[in-house]
Amino acid sequence: MNKYKKLIGNSAIFAIGNFGSKLVSLVLVPLYTHYLATSEYGIIDLATTTLNMVIPIITLSIYEAVLRFAMDKNHDSRVVITNGTLIMILGIITSVVFYPILRYFNVLDGLLNYFYMLLILQSFQNLLSQYTRAINKIKSFALNGILQTFITSICNIILLIYLNYGIKGYFISIIIANIFSIIYLVHSTGYFAEIKVSNINRDISLSMIKYSIPLIPNSFMWWLINAANRYFILFYVGINENGLFAVANKIPSIISVFTTIFTQAWQLSAIDEYDSESSGEFYSKIFVIYRVFVFICVSAVLVISKFFMKMVFAQEYYISWKYIPFLLLAVAYSSFSGFLGMNYIAAKETGGIFKTSLAGGLLSLLLNFMLVPFMGVLGSSIATMFSFMLMYIFRLKDTQKYINIKVNYKNTFIDIAIIATQTFVMFLELNSKIEISVLSLLFVLLISVNIKSIIRFFKRTLK
């Protein structure tokens, strides 16, 4: 199959599985803001963030190795999934050792049992999801996303609205959804038929661990940039403001819906095309249109963000609009960094991922420490943006030794200038009609700057 056609086809399938699920997740945010206090929503956000940090550590990020090695023609996928499962189980057993200690100190204030259940279930779910992609069961992967979101939504409505279970109801919903997801993926992949003791291979296990270990600190660094700011906000400002920050992050997640869809498809294409003679040209063409698409989305969301905050969320959350422009740019640079990170994945040189993530993570810590005490949540939003920007710049330079990606710097700077102007206009607090008009004109200007790239892409797609 043509590489462009394959990328577009996979993106379409992932869109079916992700777009509906992400859209429903976004729609559920008003439900959470109405049935949970800002402090409760802040606690949920902290617990979820901590979970996302802990899973790569206890599992050694082995699910990432499962995807890469199972796609490698030199490895048997059955051997890969068997060894990946073994490593993950050993990690989970190790984590259980800490349970009595955490229970003694009353960590998570009565929510520790739910936390551990999610830790185990999501570890398995991550492993099965990556294996499903690796063996090219893309449709099953997409359907799983729909199933998981549907179950979560139904359970949230029952447990939060009708039974008024509060925070516990939220966690129970996620647990039930993960159980259904695991059952479906086990059936879809024929998982148990693939797992055999005879497939355990010490050399394969060591190779997979060697590949995945640099991804552990990488995950931690992404956590530092994306999530550690919650703890700075909690310490310096308070739990209520952490809830505001969590809600503000939901708006940029609109863009994350699309970038996640694309990244899932791009990861497969990047690995497939890495050894081809035209890989540099292919990567460059895709990155050009990806950059244009992301910046257009950022500009479009800025036009509607204030109106959206006012119409959808409870009144006490409206002030969160101030953080959105910086978090949107953070998502943009995060997306570009993720795209370039696939060069390391394809080349099996995951050490580069760690180095560049380390730079972003350290900058995030420094800026949060400097800005949050004086600027509060706004300072944390700015810190997140600059941290991902630095990571993107480092990766753009460092990955040239693997794939020579050409970047249109002139258009990139113009796009950033237009988005910066939109942000300035928002902070002027003009009449709402005038503000939307000016923001819309700037949005049209950004499209006109990139119209040639857009037309070129559609011509190539049609061919």
Side-chain angles (χ1 to χ4, degrees):
M1 182 185 292
N2 177 278
K3 54 191 175 186
Y4 293 99
K5 183 179 178 181
K6 182 177 181 180
L7 177 59
I8 293 170
N10 284 343
S11 297
I13 295 172
F14 285 128
I16 294 171
N18 280 277
F19 188 70
S21 62
K22 297 294 183 181
L23 184 62
V24 171
S25 298
L26 186 63
V27 170
L28 285 175
V29 175
L31 172 71
Y32 301 144
T33 59
H34 280 88
Y35 287 90
L36 296 169
T38 53
S39 59
E40 291 178 314
Y41 196 72
I43 291 170
I44 287 174
D45 187 61
L46 280 173
T48 304
T49 299
T50 305
L51 186 70
N52 292 334
M53 177 196 70
V54 171
I55 286 178
I57 297 173
I58 68 156
T59 63
L60 301 182
S61 286
I62 203 65
Y63 44 86
E64 299 285 358
V66 166
L67 173 65
R68 183 63 184 90
F69 280 72
M71 287 187 66
D72 195 324
K73 297 175 183 178
N74 298 321
H75 296 291
D76 187 335
S77 61
R78 294 170 296 183
V79 174
V80 172
I81 188 60
T82 299
N83 288 274
T85 301
L86 176 63
I87 294 167
M88 186 193 65
I89 290 174
L90 291 174
I92 289 173
I93 292 172
T94 303
S95 71
V96 174
V97 173
F98 295 96
Y99 177 82
I101 302 172
L102 297 173
R103 186 70 181 268
Y104 177 79
F105 287 102
N106 197 29
V107 175
L108 288 177
D109 192 24
L111 298 173
L112 186 62
N113 290 341
Y114 298 106
F115 182 86
Y116 258 86
M117 289 179 69
L118 280 173
L119 182 69
I120 295 169
L121 290 171
Q122 288 194 5
S123 296
F124 271 100
Q125 206 272 343
N126 286 347
L127 185 81
L128 290 167
S129 295
Q130 296 294 58
Y131 183 62
T132 304
R133 292 172 63 198
I135 60 176
N136 206 31
K137 287 187 173 289
I138 308 301
K139 293 179 181 178
S140 296
F141 179 87
L143 287 172
N144 173 66
I146 296 172
L147 172 68
Q148 198 169 1
T149 305
F150 176 76
I151 298 296
T152 302
S153 304
I154 296 299
C155 291
N156 269 316
I157 291 171
I158 294 172
L159 294 172
L160 290 180
I161 297 178
Y162 292 102
L163 299 180
N164 196 28
Y165 273 23
I167 293 178
K168 292 183 178 179
Y170 174 87
F171 282 113
I172 292 170
S173 299
I174 305 298
I175 289 168
I176 293 173
N178 271 280
I179 291 172
F180 274 92
S181 171
I182 289 170
I183 293 171
Y184 172 75
L185 291 175
V186 164
H187 173 74
S188 178
T189 59
Y191 173 75
F192 287 119
E194 306 282 88
I195 303 296
K196 294 181 181 179
V197 176
S198 59
N199 286 335
I200 297 176
N201 185 300
R202 179 176 175 273
D203 292 336
I204 292 295
S205 291
L206 291 175
S207 295
M208 291 173 67
I209 291 173
K210 182 180 178 181
Y211 173 89
S212 65
I213 277 181
L215 297 175
I216 302 171
N218 171 64
S219 298
F220 183 70
M221 291 306 147
W222 277 74
W223 175 84
L224 277 180
I225 302 173
N226 254 331
N229 42 24
R230 269 83 162 175
Y231 298 97
F232 280 95
I233 293 170
L234 178 65
F235 181 78
Y236 286 109
V237 191
I239 193 67
N240 288 341
E241 281 69 19
N242 196 70
L244 294 175
F245 183 74
V247 169
N249 262 304
K250 296 300 178 182
I251 305 301
S253 69
I254 296 171
I255 296 177
S256 296
V257 171
F258 298 102
T259 57
T260 299
I261 290 168
F262 174 78
T263 300
Q264 290 172 345
W266 173 245
Q267 187 171 19
L268 303 181
S269 293
I271 294 171
D272 282 341
E273 297 296 325
Y274 177 71
D275 292 322
S276 68
E277 294 181 0
S278 60
S279 58
E281 179 186 2
F282 177 57
Y283 279 50
S284 297
K285 288 179 179 178
I286 298 300
F287 185 64
V288 167
I289 195 63
Y290 185 55
R291 176 192 60 77
V292 170
F293 173 77
V294 171
F295 277 140
I296 286 176
C297 287
V298 168
S299 181
V301 173
L302 285 175
V303 175
I304 65 169
S305 57
K306 274 190 181 179
F307 175 79
F308 188 82
M309 290 294 297
K310 184 177 291 186
M311 295 298 295
V312 175
F313 299 115
Q315 186 176 356
E316 60 265 32
Y317 289 93
Y318 175 72
I319 195 174
S320 297
W321 73 262
K322 293 183 178 181
Y323 322 132
I324 291 173
F326 307 101
L327 294 174
L328 281 169
L329 280 173
V331 167
Y333 289 120
S334 170
S335 302
F336 303 152
S337 298
F339 183 98
L340 296 171
M342 294 307 163
N343 297 353
Y344 297 116
I345 297 293
K348 289 187 179 179
E349 296 289 343
T350 49
I353 292 181
F354 167 63
K355 288 188 302 181
T356 52
S357 297
L358 176 63
L362 293 177
L363 181 63
S364 177
L365 279 178
L366 177 63
L367 291 179
N368 270 287
F369 182 75
M370 293 172 59
L371 299 178
V372 174
F374 305 102
M375 300 178 67
V377 180
L378 183 62
S380 186
S381 305
I382 294 171
T384 304
M385 178 190 70
F386 279 117
S387 300
F388 277 121
M389 181 190 296
L390 179 68
M391 187 189 300
Y392 163 63
I393 293 170
F394 277 12
R395 286 189 177 181
L396 185 60
K397 181 179 179 180
D398 191 48
T399 57
Q400 295 299 320
K401 58 191 174 187
Y402 305 118
I403 297 289
N404 183 24
I405 295 181
K406 297 178 181 178
V407 179
N408 188 330
Y409 290 103
K410 178 183 176 182
N411 281 14
T412 300
F413 289 135
I414 294 174
D415 291 344
I416 294 171
I418 292 172
I419 291 170
T421 305
Q422 285 184 301
T423 302
F424 176 74
V425 170
M426 290 177 68
F427 275 86
L428 289 177
E429 296 275 25
L430 302 171
N431 175 278
S432 57
K433 290 184 179 179
I434 295 175
E435 181 177 300
I436 291 177
S437 298
V438 175
L439 294 176
S440 299
L441 286 173
L442 289 167
F443 169 66
V444 172
L445 176 62
L446 189 142
I447 292 178
S448 65
V449 169
N450 296 285
I451 193 67
K452 289 184 179 179
S453 298
I454 297 171
I455 293 172
R456 195 180 301 119
F457 171 75
F458 279 108
K459 282 184 177 180
R460 186 180 298 118
T461 303
L462 290 173
K463 287 181 181 180

